[in-house]
Amino acid sequence: MTDSFDDMSINDVAALTERIMASLELDASQEATPESLGFDTTGTTIPRSVKLTPELDLRCKARATELGLSQSAYIRSLIERDVSTRTARPLTTADLPLILEFLRHAA
């Protein structure tokens, strides 16, 4: 990714535009409940250590409880959804300057 909108190729702009549009088109059902809810543990599971900030840990616990899941099941469901959709890299805060510049040029 380049530092400036002016330095972007047409392919970079197209990819950024596609990612922006895809992120805006998320429907409520995609956000409401992860796909399999992480309950598919019939096979062997491998424990993983995931480091979370205290704030993110609290938010994760709250959301898992809201969905009636353990934290492990909730995190597993998010991973399952991500690997099943195989979409482009999600937008991050690092993309914001480029998005803002893109919108300024589009206006």
Side-chain angles (χ1 to χ4, degrees):
M1 193 66 65
T2 60
D3 291 344
S4 167
F5 182 75
D6 295 327
D7 297 334
M8 294 176 73
S9 71
I10 189 92
N11 291 336
D12 291 336
V13 173
L16 179 62
T17 303
E18 185 177 315
R19 286 187 20 234
I20 291 169
M21 296 309 291
S23 70
L24 295 175
E25 292 172 0
L26 289 177
D27 63 37
S29 66
Q30 286 178 314
E31 293 180 8
T33 312
E35 243 171 69
S36 73
L37 293 176
F39 290 129
D40 185 18
T41 57
T42 54
T44 304
T45 58
I46 301 167
R48 296 280 181 224
S49 173
V50 179
K51 292 176 176 36
L52 304 174
T53 62
E55 179 187 347
L56 186 56
D57 185 54
L58 288 174
R59 293 173 63 200
C60 179
K61 282 179 190 173
R63 182 66 176 142
T65 300
E66 191 177 298
L67 294 171
L69 301 171
S70 67
Q71 277 187 276
S72 290
Y74 175 59
I75 292 168
R76 193 169 36 255
S77 70
L78 295 175
I79 294 169
E80 288 170 354
R81 182 177 62 187
D82 181 65
V83 298
S84 70
T85 58
R86 297 196 183 277
T87 57
R89 177 182 67 81
L91 295 172
T92 67
T93 55
D95 296 313
L96 287 177
L98 286 173
I99 293 168
L100 291 173
E101 190 168 341
F102 174 80
L103 292 174
R104 270 195 295 270
H105 285 283

